[in-house]
Amino acid sequence: MNNRKEIIIGFIVGIIANTFGTLIYILLFSDLGIIETFNAAIEQGHIGSLLALGAILNLVAFFGFLRIKRDQRAKGVMLATLVTALVILLYKVMA
């Protein structure tokens, strides 16, 4: 049961890192606000790219957990990254 808890914690950290990574990218590189950038990305079909760039922050979480010997949490971050990749793939296929 403890392993499952650690994986869930890692998954949540991965989702939060992806969200913060996306927001940081928008704040640093977009002249528009957050909502306007999301709307423009959806209209132009770039929402997948925006999410993928946000997932770069997952690397920090993943290697950070590996460095402090929290392998199960690193697995959770990897799972969150894979879920993000599947969402991007589904978005690209459906659009």
Side-chain angles (χ1 to χ4, degrees), residues 76-95:
V77 173
M78 179 62 74
L79 184 64
T81 305
L82 290 174
V83 168
T84 301
L86 288 174
V87 167
I88 293 169
L89 178 67
L90 287 173
Y91 179 77
K92 295 285 186 180
V93 169
M94 297 294 182

Side-chain angles (χ1 to χ4, degrees), residues 18-31:
N18 195 345
T19 304
F20 279 140
T22 303
L23 291 175
I24 289 169
Y25 177 78
I26 289 171
L27 292 173
L28 289 177
F29 297 108
S30 178
D31 295 331

Side-chain angles (χ1 to χ4, degrees), residues 28-85:
L28 289 177
F29 297 108
S30 178
D31 295 331
L32 304 174
I34 295 170
I35 302 297
E36 293 85 11
T37 302
F38 271 114
N39 290 336
I42 290 170
E43 288 174 8
Q44 297 173 5
H46 295 299
I47 194 72
S49 302
L50 195 61
L51 291 175
L53 287 168
I56 292 173
L57 199 55
N58 282 357
L59 285 170
V60 175
F62 178 76
F63 287 113
F65 283 138
L66 287 180
R67 185 174 198 79
I68 63 171
K69 307 279 192 266
R70 300 285 184 146
D71 294 344
Q72 298 303 318
R73 289 187 184 189
K75 286 181 187 178
V77 173
M78 179 62 74
L79 184 64
T81 305
L82 290 174
V83 168
T84 301

